[in-house]
Amino acid sequence: MEPAYRGLGRCICCFWLAVAFDVVGLLVLLIGVFVNVFFYDLLIYAGAIVIFLSLVWWVFWYSGNIEVLASELEDDVGLTKKDKSGIGGAVRRLSNRLAGSIRNSLRRNGGVAAGSLGRQGGERGSAADAAVAPHLEQVVVALATLKPIDRTLQKYDAEMPTTATETSPT
């Protein structure tokens, strides 16, 4: 049995946050208007911005309290059997067929990432290759040690150490 909500509805936290933002924003705005301080314009703008931000909490509270009957949700969430006749049924069948063919194509090729990385021509890999596909391409990075040649001109000469690279079996 669903609990009966009275008064403020389900999203009480959003309601009280909206009220708090409104009260704080109004206080800051009124202080900026009526108190003689040199930064009154900052207080007026800040109060207006806080009141504007309270609208976010009001929208959350309102949308969280919208009630939709289960009979209205049936078509959206698939609770009823879809009608396969008419133009709606034809569009639904076409959409299901197209989505199924794309899904099966991606399964056969090992997904988008595995199909595009490290393969040449028409080569196809196994499922194990698809799992390590991001590691198929290797990037070699050479590091240089810089030492000053002439301190007055601040020029640098790159000393290239010998590097060794490993390649993964593919």
Side-chain angles (χ1 to χ4, degrees):
M1 183 173 139
E2 189 173 324
Y5 296 103
R6 294 188 195 134
L8 299 177
R10 286 184 283 255
C11 302
I12 298 171
C13 182
C14 291
F15 175 82
W16 288 115
L17 277 170
V19 169
F21 271 58
D22 280 337
V23 168
V24 168
L26 186 63
L27 284 175
V28 170
L29 186 117
L30 291 176
I31 288 172
V33 170
F34 293 113
V35 175
N36 189 14
V37 291
F38 69 94
F39 54 92
Y40 67 92
D41 53 346
L42 174 72
L43 294 174
I44 291 172
Y45 288 131
I49 289 171
V50 171
I51 291 172
F52 177 75
L53 290 176
S54 76
L55 290 175
V56 173
W57 297 112
W58 285 116
V59 169
F60 283 168
W61 175 73
Y62 179 78
S63 61
N65 285 311
I66 294 175
E67 294 186 20
V68 180
L69 299 175
S71 61
E72 294 177 16
L73 284 176
E74 286 176 349
D75 188 41
D76 293 337
V77 295
L79 294 176
T80 60
K81 192 89 169 154
K82 301 285 191 252
D83 185 20
K84 298 286 185 179
S85 63
I87 192 155
V91 170
R92 186 170 289 117
R93 283 192 305 271
L94 177 66
S95 172
N96 287 340
R97 189 175 302 144
L98 183 63
S101 66
I102 291 172
R103 189 179 315 114
N104 290 337
S105 168
L106 290 175
R107 285 181 186 157
R108 274 192 307 261
N109 294 335
V112 176
S116 63
L117 291 177
R119 303 249 166 81
Q120 296 168 355
E123 283 184 354
R124 283 212 174 136
S126 65
D129 288 341
V132 294
H135 305 291
L136 288 179
E137 293 184 15
Q138 181 178 4
V139 177
V140 178
V141 177
L143 301 174
T145 306
L146 299 178
K147 63 178 182 177
I149 296 175
D150 186 6
R151 293 190 191 276
T152 58
L153 299 175
Q154 294 297 322
K155 290 185 180 178
Y156 290 93
D157 183 26
E159 177 184 315
M160 297 296 292
T162 58
T163 58
T165 59
E166 288 185 29
T167 58
S168 60
T170 53

